[in-house]
Amino acid sequence: MNVLVAGGTGFIGQALSRHLLGRGHRVSVLSRRPSAPDAFPAVFHWDPEREELDPRAFSEIDAVVNLAGEDLASGRWTRERKRRLVESRVASTRFLVRKMSERDPPPRALVSASAVGIYGNRGEEVLVEKSAPGKGFLAELCQSWEAETLAARGAGIRAVPLRFGMVLDARGGALAKLLPVFRMGIGGTLGSGKQWMSWIALADVVQAIELAVSNERLEGPVNAVAPLPVRNRELTRALGRILNRPAILPVPAPVLRLIFGEMADEALLSSARAEPERLAALGYRFLYPELLPAMRAAIKI
Ligand SMILES: NC(=O)c1ccc[n+]([C@@H]2O[C@H](COP(=O)([O-])OP(=O)(O)OC[C@H]3O[C@@H](n4cnc5c(N)ncnc54)[C@H](OP(=O)(O)O)[C@@H]3O)[C@@H](O)[C@H]2O)c1
């Protein structure tokens, strides 16, 4: 297939391009940087904030994967940053869908990032795709983001929001931020450590995206998480064990709130026990269903 990846320059996007190219697909990327159609993969300029998009980007495209969005974890959530976190996902997806709909015929599928953050803080509850969404900034952001993705159906485009758990790989995401702390031997549980964390190996993320792009029966939200979510204290223990470092210093919730503000309760202390019901129903076989082997592969130990 011919796949255009918006936000394809990032952590997941680069791994996805490598994976899709290796599987014989053709890949091009939408980025806010200048167009470079001769690059490999080809880069086409867009600026969703200014509603600019290189018209050459959509030529002969079968499917679009949307991974664009400002980094949620780089800095406190001030009012202005929250606006940008929302706009860079919700408004950019709306713009992308409008541009796709204007094509005749439009690309057949839109697969867009979402997150298990849509479920909010849910304690022990097992969360599958038909579970109700939760409350809070991240939950509401994800609901608006998914609504813009699903609006593509109005133009006959198959739409799949993929609700990613924490993507495990040393090159990006939360693990890249946790590793230096744990390597120094000062890692520990976040708050009580009882909160459930839904995670997924990067190798499974790119396979799940490929499945969503190519399987015409897949439509609507899909949990992209490993089948065995863990509590924060199990993840902490696994990291300490693999790195052979003590991981015994808990970071109390009030300290996290002082350092991270609202992000502490929304992301670090929030409990999401999501399971991949729809991927399982399709018979998807995880490369890394369990945490320890996934973590070892992520850190290349
Ligand atoms: N990594 C995870 O664990 C995880 C978990 C759940 C959900 N997600 C979601 O999955 C998506 C991809 O994640 P990632 O880890 O690959 O993120 P990433 O490395 O930060 O990459 C995101 C890309 O989005 C583009 N971007 C940044 N700010 C933008 C803006 N204001 N407007 C338009 N585009 C912008 C950037 O591309 P250019 O600079 O080239 O334009 C960037 O390369 C994100 O939306 C993220 O929220 C990730």
Side-chain angles (χ1 to χ4, degrees):
M1 292 177 80
N2 214 341
V3 183
L4 177 66
V5 187
T9 55
F11 164 51
I12 298 174
Q14 289 183 38
L16 177 67
S17 296
R18 278 194 301 275
H19 173 78
L20 292 177
L21 290 167
R23 299 268 302 150
H25 300 288
R26 281 160 60 195
V27 178
S28 49
V29 163
L30 273 185
S31 165
R32 292 165 302 160
R33 69 178 65 163
S35 283
D38 299 334
F40 187 75
V43 176
F44 293 100
H45 170 79
W46 78 325
D47 188 332
E49 217 172 323
R50 295 185 183 167
E51 304 213 331
E52 292 170 2
L53 190 146
D54 187 329
R56 295 171 295 178
F58 280 118
S59 139
E60 293 174 32
I61 292 297
D62 300 304
V64 176
V65 177
N66 177 25
L67 299 170
E70 285 219 3
D71 186 0
L72 281 149
S74 63
R76 280 173 85 96
W77 293 354
T78 59
R79 185 191 289 254
E80 170 55 17
R81 248 183 71 70
K82 279 164 86 170
R83 188 193 65 77
R84 291 192 59 79
L85 294 175
V86 173
E87 290 290 291
S88 66
R89 291 176 171 78
V90 178
S92 64
T93 304
R94 186 182 313 137
F95 175 61
L96 196 57
V97 168
R98 172 152 66 82
K99 287 295 176 188
M100 289 172 74
S101 310
E102 283 168 9
R103 303 288 303 183
D104 187 17
R108 294 202 299 276
L110 170 63
V111 175
S112 181
S114 175
V116 294
I118 195 163
Y119 300 114
N121 185 6
R122 300 286 274 270
E124 299 296 306
E125 190 179 343
V126 172
L127 301 162
V128 294
E129 289 86 349
K130 51 184 178 291
S131 302
K135 295 192 181 70
F137 171 70
L138 274 187
E140 280 155 31
L141 161 55
C142 290
Q143 285 170 67
S144 311
W145 196 8
E146 290 194 4
E148 297 298 345
T149 303
L150 295 172
R153 296 189 289 201
I157 299 166
R158 187 170 59 83
V160 186
L162 282 179
R163 296 174 176 167
F164 296 136
M166 168 185 169
V167 179
L168 279 193
D169 193 272
R171 285 165 289 188
L175 192 58
K177 292 193 165 76
L178 286 173
L179 271 176
V181 183
F182 277 79
R183 284 201 164 111
M184 284 189 276
I186 53 170
T189 55
L190 303 175
S192 70
K194 282 189 195 155
Q195 67 275 33
W196 286 93
M197 305 189 75
S198 301
W199 60 274
I200 181 166
L202 184 59
D204 278 309
V205 166
V206 297
Q207 285 209 157
I209 296 175
E210 186 192 6
L211 178 77
V213 161
S214 53
N215 189 324
E216 310 249 321
R217 287 180 303 149
L218 207 53
E219 160 75 46
V222 173
N223 285 349
V225 295
L228 297 168
V230 294
R231 294 184 192 274
N232 173 259
R233 62 171 174 247
E234 292 171 61
L235 188 117
T236 304
R237 210 177 296 136
L239 253 179
R241 203 170 127 190
I242 289 174
L243 296 173
N244 205 12
R245 294 280 193 286
I248 45 173
L249 290 174
V251 193
V255 175
L256 288 170
R257 288 189 188 111
L258 202 67
I259 302 172
F260 295 103
E262 195 180 343
M263 206 197 315
D265 283 298
E266 287 269 341
L268 308 174
L269 300 166
S270 183
S271 185
R273 188 181 184 180
E275 292 189 356
E277 191 173 74
R278 296 197 65 201
L279 285 180
L282 284 172
Y284 177 75
R285 288 172 70 89
F286 281 86
L287 295 169
Y288 295 100
E290 290 177 25
L291 183 69
L292 267 179
M295 193 86 94
R296 282 212 175 87
I299 307 176
K300 311 273 182 291
I301 289 181

